[in-house]
Amino acid sequence: MIRRALLTALLALPLPALAQTGPSFDCARARAWDERNICAFGDLAALDRQIAAAWRAVNERAPEQDRARLQAEQRAWLGERRACQGPVEREAVSCLRRTMRARARDLEAMAQAAPGGGSSASSSAVPTAKPAAAPTPPQTVLRAADCASPAGWAAQRICTVQGMRELDAAVVQEAQTARARFAAQPAVLAEIEAALARYVTQREACARALGRIPVDCLQETMEDMRTALRRRLAVASATTRGG
């Protein structure tokens, strides 16, 4: 009787409610390592739905000339996601989780920055003048930690934990390279500066991260930023060669 009642209750749910428990794809067809793990972990399935929704929003709002770049970035990210597979399952799944969280943040920021991303339905009906060329966005203050007098929790950990100084320097270098590479593309540069601003804030927030080891949180945040910048540069290089 209990089983029958439960089945009846499930069947009474609307289809969207049932669909929201899994990822954005059909787990019965999952073959790749990353897809199988997304199906196996509820939080990864939720992240996958979040990424899929943000990707649709970005793609729908993007100008036609930007869509090839966005598609290339998405393909590069899918390759990066799959590359998390490794001999130690726990570390591989942790990499998968970090990669998906970073992509969700990036896409949602891009969706908000896109035309119509933050506007209401009523305001969209009001005619607007053709926007002027996007100005160069202000740069986020980002420099390597000064270990002679480290300021802030993150800088102190960067200066005292093995390997952190090298990672910090790598992030700063990648940011400088990305700024130079996209100097003539204000829209892309604005996305990068927004990501860097979030990065600086998130580093300090790791000191108060709930349920996580603060130093691990800091390292993951720094690795995520370095990976995101490298992906941007790699996609730009591939697009240039392809063109």
Side-chain angles (χ1 to χ4, degrees), residues 176-212:
Q176 292 172 347
T177 303
R179 283 166 169 164
R181 173 64 179 80
F182 297 108
Q185 301 179 48
V188 177
L189 198 57
E191 293 172 6
I192 291 171
E193 293 299 339
L196 290 173
R198 290 195 304 275
Y199 163 72
V200 171
T201 301
Q202 288 163 358
R203 285 196 327 182
E204 294 299 328
C206 281
R208 304 175 299 279
L210 296 177
R212 302 176 69 189

Side-chain angles (χ1 to χ4, degrees), residues 13 22 43 90 103 109 117-118 127 143 147 156 179 186 196 199 223:
L13 287 172
D43 65 321
R90 182 176 178 181
R103 185 59 173 162
R143 58 177 65 93
C147 292
Q156 291 169 8
R179 283 166 169 164
L196 290 173
Y199 163 72
E223 288 175 347

Side-chain angles (χ1 to χ4, degrees), residues 17-39:
L18 291 173
Q20 289 304 301
T21 60
S24 64
F25 55 88
D26 183 1
C27 285
R29 298 183 178 182
R31 296 291 180 269
W33 171 88
D34 53 335
E35 293 173 344
R36 293 196 304 272
N37 276 280
I38 289 169
C39 291

Side-chain angles (χ1 to χ4, degrees), residues 127 151 194 219:
Q219 182 177 2

Side-chain angles (χ1 to χ4, degrees), residues 58-68 70 114-115:
V58 168
N59 209 38
E60 288 169 0
R61 295 168 186 166
E64 188 66 33
Q65 65 270 21
D66 288 347
R67 289 184 179 173
L70 291 170

Side-chain angles (χ1 to χ4, degrees), residues 80 99 222-232:
E80 176 189 327
T99 302
M222 295 170 72
E223 288 175 347
D224 286 349
M225 189 71 254
R226 180 180 61 175
T227 299
L229 290 167
R230 285 180 172 177
R231 183 171 62 242
R232 283 274 189 180

